[in-house]
Amino acid sequence: MKKVIIDRRQNGAGKSVDNRRRFIQRYREAISRAMVDLVDKKSIKDMGEGGNVRIPRKLLEEPSFRNARGGLHENVLPGNKKFQTGDRLPRPPAGEGEGRGQASDDTGGEDDFVFELNREEFLHFLFDGLVLPDLVKKQQASIEEWKPKRAGWATSGVPSQMDIVRTLRQSLGRNIALTSRERRQLSELQRNLEAGQEAGDSAETIKGIEAEMQSLRDRINRVPFLDPVDLRYHNRVSVPVPSTRAVVFNIMDVSGSMGQQEKDMAKRFFALLYLFLQRRYERIEVVFIRHHAIAQEVDENEFFYGTSSGGTMVSSALQLTRGILNERYGSDWNVYVCQATDGDNFIQDNGTAVRLLRELLPAVQYYAYIEIGDKAVSDLWLPYAQVAGDHRQLQMRRVREVADIYPVFRELFTPEAA
């Protein structure tokens, strides 16, 4: 009999997942464009949360068949107090046929469609297509080396992996389990035989007991000493282990020359970077360094919410970065550095900073320098630009306003940036 199951749930779990996925796929480009505005409006604390994305309604219009304008049409319309049967209705003036009103100087003519992205969808669109931009090193970081690890025993395997002790233990246990009843009966018959011989039982009775004992011994001997079900082999499974390691140094200028707006933009950039690293690379290590005249390694909370400030000596941050790199991370680490500053520096410190930068770059896969503000020429831009001419891993970008952060971030961490 054919059975038909009808799901009458009003809002079943996962019932609209496919529709939602199709919608996101269809308007992927519009959602991606709307992400820039969404990132700009978010606070640093809420940077990783989802949010509402506005999609222009004109993009949602579906193609349809309509009657062409012009010609004579006969329609049957319901009557009302204004019109009676046989009245002729005037054509609406041009531009009012669809109820959109007269033209005005207002540029917002249509309501947008608001679509809410959850956290996973938001982060997917936010970091779609981004990587740590050294392509070769990135591939190595994604590759996991597989090593064998003991994982108990298996009933099949190669002879060299056989566990002899456990196999014999299995064999002994099976023999005991399959012959225990016969062995008890054999012991009991043995006692009866001895008692009968002492009591002088007839030869026929003794012979019957001996025949029964022999039958039991034959049944015991028919149980094989070693059976294929007894075999046990050492079992090994392959477990992933990271073949390469990576560390990212986040260097943020918090000196007095950085205004609150510049610091906020720097924190927004690093908040994006931190979310990106957490989502894309599980095993990556992150080092947070704040500096003014003195550099200090801090934790995540102090990095984003600390309030210390002072003069500006970039060399202190580079010196600390080099020290941490030499102390904790060897040559087998993939090293990335991101530095955000307004470009101001104590003028006598520029030479030291450039020298330290040149010494640091050979050990670095990628160095992203972000200069915040609208200065035409800063203390660091030209010296850094000269170094960038000799080291392609040093990439420099300017962030003049909040709206520049996400585009610059994507530009720095696309595969083509390497």
Side-chain angles (χ1 to χ4, degrees):
M1 177 182 295
K2 183 179 179 180
K3 294 183 178 179
V4 179
I5 300 176
I6 301 175
D7 187 358
R8 299 187 185 280
R9 294 175 298 177
Q10 295 297 320
N11 190 20
K15 203 170 183 178
S16 60
V17 171
D18 290 340
N19 291 335
R20 183 179 181 86
R21 186 177 64 249
R22 283 193 290 268
F23 177 85
I24 292 176
Q25 185 66 27
R26 183 168 185 173
Y27 298 104
R28 181 185 187 88
E29 185 177 351
I31 295 175
S32 298
R33 287 199 299 266
M35 293 294 294
V36 178
D37 294 335
L38 187 60
V39 171
D40 293 346
K41 295 175 182 176
K42 280 180 170 292
S43 65
I44 295 175
K45 185 177 180 181
D46 297 332
M47 192 68 77
E49 302 299 327
N52 293 330
V53 174
R54 305 184 75 86
I55 301 175
R57 182 171 292 276
K58 62 182 179 181
L59 298 180
L60 303 177
E61 292 181 351
E62 300 285 346
S64 60
F65 291 101
R66 297 178 182 175
N67 292 324
R69 290 182 176 276
L72 299 176
H73 300 275
E74 293 184 359
N75 298 315
V76 179
L77 303 175
N80 53 29
K81 295 181 180 179
K82 184 177 181 180
F83 299 103
Q84 297 179 356
T85 304
D87 288 346
R88 298 176 66 86
L89 303 182
R91 291 179 181 273
E96 294 185 358
E98 297 181 357
R100 299 184 180 182
Q102 298 290 341
S104 70
D105 57 355
D106 186 3
T107 57
E110 295 181 342
D111 294 335
D112 292 338
F113 177 78
V114 180
F115 179 71
E116 183 175 359
L117 292 175
N118 59 35
R119 174 183 168 83
E120 284 301 314
E121 292 166 344
F122 174 75
L123 293 179
H124 172 75
F125 275 98
L126 195 62
F127 303 127
D128 185 27
L130 301 185
V131 295
L132 285 176
D134 186 323
L135 184 60
V136 176
K137 294 296 181 183
K138 186 272 299 183
Q139 288 178 339
Q140 291 178 351
S142 300
I143 295 174
E144 291 179 331
E145 184 180 354
W146 295 83
K147 290 186 177 180
K149 181 182 178 182
R150 289 282 302 274
W153 290 267
T155 57
S156 61
V158 296
S160 62
Q161 293 297 320
M162 181 183 292
D163 187 333
I164 303 298
V165 175
R166 185 162 288 270
T167 297
L168 293 179
R169 188 181 300 169
Q170 289 291 126
S171 171
L172 181 60
R174 180 181 53 80
N175 272 275
I176 292 174
L178 295 177
T179 62
S180 59
R181 187 179 61 178
E182 287 78 6
R183 291 180 187 279
R184 285 196 302 270
Q185 294 174 351
L186 186 61
S187 298
E188 185 177 352
L189 290 174
Q190 181 65 34
R191 289 192 296 270
N192 293 340
L193 177 63
E194 293 173 355
Q197 290 174 341
E198 290 178 359
D201 289 347
S202 63
E204 184 178 354
T205 303
I206 296 301
K207 189 177 181 180
I209 294 175
E210 290 178 343
E212 190 174 355
M213 291 177 64
Q214 185 59 42
S215 175
L216 289 173
R217 290 192 185 96
D218 293 342
R219 290 168 60 182
I220 292 173
N221 291 334
R222 282 196 292 271
V223 176
F225 171 73
L226 189 63
D227 192 87
V229 298
D230 302 326
L231 300 180
R232 292 294 183 270
Y233 300 87
H234 292 294
N235 187 34
R236 296 180 182 275
V237 296
S238 296
V239 295
V241 293
S243 60
T244 58
R245 294 170 292 184
V247 57
V248 176
F249 288 86
N250 293 334
I251 303 174
M252 182 165 63
D253 182 0
V254 293
S255 62
S257 62
M258 290 274 285
Q260 191 59 40
Q261 184 178 0
E262 285 78 11
K263 290 179 181 177
D264 180 74
M265 288 194 287
K267 291 176 182 177
R268 282 177 174 275
F269 180 87
F270 283 116
L272 277 177
L273 177 60
Y274 191 44
L275 282 172
F276 166 63
L277 295 175
Q278 282 186 317
R279 181 174 176 83
R280 182 82 180 184
Y281 304 95
E282 294 181 356
R283 298 181 182 86
I284 203 164
E285 291 196 17
V286 182
V287 178
F288 296 102
I289 295 177
R290 288 168 58 98
H291 82 89
H292 35 82
I294 300 173
Q296 184 181 12
E297 183 183 3
V298 296
D299 57 19
E300 173 191 347
N301 186 65
E302 178 68 18
F303 185 79
F304 286 106
Y305 304 107
T307 57
S308 62
S309 184
T312 309
M313 293 186 68
V314 175
S315 64
S316 62
L318 299 179
Q319 182 73 36
L320 179 59
T321 300
R322 190 178 65 174
I324 295 174
L325 186 60
N326 293 335
E327 181 180 351
R328 300 183 200 167
Y329 307 102
S331 58
D332 58 334
W333 284 76
N334 295 317
V335 181
Y336 298 86
V337 181
C338 292
Q339 179 185 0
T341 176
D342 62 348
D344 285 348
N345 192 31
F346 184 54
I347 193 65
Q348 283 78 7
D349 184 60
N350 278 358
T352 305
V354 170
R355 177 179 58 82
L356 290 171
L357 180 64
R358 288 185 180 276
E359 294 175 358
L360 189 61
L361 282 173
V364 173
Q365 267 72 52
Y366 190 71
Y367 194 114
Y369 173 82
I370 302 98
E371 189 165 296
I372 300 171
D374 54 359
K375 298 175 183 175
V377 179
S378 67
D379 297 332
L380 291 176
W381 185 266
L382 289 180
Y384 268 54
Q386 293 176 355
V387 177
D390 302 328
H391 299 272
R392 61 181 295 272
Q393 65 265 45
L394 173 58
Q395 296 293 320
M396 304 173 63
R397 298 292 187 278
R398 290 184 187 275
V399 175
R400 301 183 187 279
E401 54 186 2
V402 175
D404 295 338
I405 295 175
Y406 185 57
V408 167
F409 181 84
R410 289 202 65 90
E411 188 178 350
L412 284 172
F413 293 100
T414 53
E416 294 77 13

